[in-house]
Amino acid sequence: SQQGEEDPQALSIQEGENATMNCSYKTSINNLQWYRQNSGRGLVHLILIRSNEREKHSGRLRVTLDTSKKSSSLLITASRAADTASYFCATVPSGSARQLTFGSGTQLTVLP
Amino acid sequence: DTAVSQTPKYLVTQMGNDKSIKCEQNLGHDTMYWYKQDSKKFLKIMFSYNNKELIINETVPNRFSPKSPDKAHLNLHINSLELGDSAVYFCASSQAGTSAETQYFGPGTRLLVL
């Protein structure tokens, strides 16, 4: 079964607005990563947050991690039409160095 | 420069056939993976492989087998294809010893079994 569940499944916003996506997972983790997938393409790594970190920034991306609630959020600020894509969280379980387990993904549509 | 490449991009075939998908990475990574993405976009790990160990997801039918001629290549061979094998298959790679364990994905192979 999927490790992670993402919420919402789909999100539609206007250009310039912020987009927030949430991810919940079930087991203890080593780190949590967010990936982006444009339609018909492969996944691209966006950002990684380790289990001992609570917040991380990269450009217009902000990721938070709450290990007590087993949840993470990805915030994209000042969204652009080019941000339209599917966004996936992926966890590396504790003790498992390489096995990424993906969430179900959020389809983000940014309207111009 | 393509970091992780896969061929073919599209594969349409009949049920019962045997097919292979090729993957190559030029990143010098020591670990490679195969994932299956279904029509609902669920991504599931099938295999991870380096020169020391092969980890198989127990839910993968034994009709699927990874073959690695060298560190830069991990091919996926599928025997007796079934309708349910239709999906997008992604290859990925990463480097052991890096705490990040970031994976780099290929563009995917869209397999349609008729």
Side-chain angles (χ1 to χ4, degrees):
Chain A
S1 63
Q2 294 294 114
Q3 159 78 311
E5 294 296 328
E6 292 183 58
D7 167 52
Q9 286 190 321
L11 178 62
S12 186
I13 58 174
Q14 293 293 134
E15 208 165 23
E17 293 180 340
N18 295 342
T20 300
M21 289 160 267
N22 303 296
C23 166
S24 60
Y25 56 91
K26 296 175 184 173
T27 63
S28 17
I29 60 171
N30 180 300
N31 66 67
L32 184 144
Q33 304 177 31
W34 285 90
Y35 286 78
R36 164 193 169 132
Q37 184 180 29
N38 285 74
S39 180
R41 308 289 290 273
L43 281 79
V44 175
H45 179 261
L46 294 176
I47 193 166
L48 177 149
I49 187 164
R50 292 184 173 80
S51 59
N52 61 354
E53 297 176 312
R54 292 295 165 259
E55 188 170 313
K56 203 156 181 184
H57 296 255
S58 175
R60 293 184 297 114
L61 305 180
R62 173 179 168 250
V63 170
T64 62
L65 179 64
D66 186 335
T67 52
S68 66
K69 295 181 180 177
K70 291 187 169 57
S71 68
S72 173
S73 68
L74 171 68
L75 169 68
I76 304 174
T77 59
S79 63
R80 305 166 183 168
D83 293 330
T84 295
S86 292
Y87 291 82
F88 294 88
C89 69
T91 53
V92 176
S94 297
S96 169
R98 298 176 201 161
Q99 294 282 344
L100 272 181
T101 305
F102 281 85
S104 49
T106 293
Q107 172 60 49
L108 173 66
T109 302
V110 181
L111 303 168
Chain B
D1 286 348
T2 303
V4 182
S5 59
Q6 295 177 228
T7 54
K9 190 171 181 181
Y10 299 97
L11 182 54
V12 181
T13 188
Q14 297 288 330
M15 232 170 37
N17 285 349
D18 301 340
K19 290 293 177 186
S20 291
I21 306 172
K22 295 185 177 181
C23 178
E24 176 181 1
Q25 54 95 4
N26 63 7
L27 298 167
H29 288 166
D30 67 352
T31 305
M32 296 181 74
Y33 312 81
W34 277 105
Y35 289 87
K36 178 180 180 180
Q37 186 174 45
D38 65 20
S39 57
K40 294 183 180 178
K41 291 197 172 181
F42 285 125
L43 260 168
K44 197 171 186 181
I45 181 77
M46 299 177 73
F47 305 99
S48 67
Y49 182 81
N50 64 23
N51 59 5
K52 295 175 186 173
E53 67 179 337
L54 168 67
I55 299 175
I56 303 170
N57 184 320
E58 59 192 16
T59 65
V60 175
N62 58 14
R63 298 181 294 103
F64 290 79
S65 56
K67 298 186 191 302
S68 181
D70 56 58
K71 205 174 91 165
H73 297 83
L74 182 67
N75 304 326
L76 181 65
H77 191 75
I78 315 169
N79 289 326
S80 303
L81 277 155
E82 300 178 357
L83 295 177
D85 298 333
S86 296
V88 183
Y89 293 84
F90 287 99
C91 176
S93 71
S94 69
Q95 178 58 41
T98 61
S99 57
E101 300 295 353
T102 297
Q103 294 188 14
Y104 294 80
F105 283 77
T109 294
R110 285 141 191 85
L111 171 65
L112 177 61
V113 182
L114 302 173

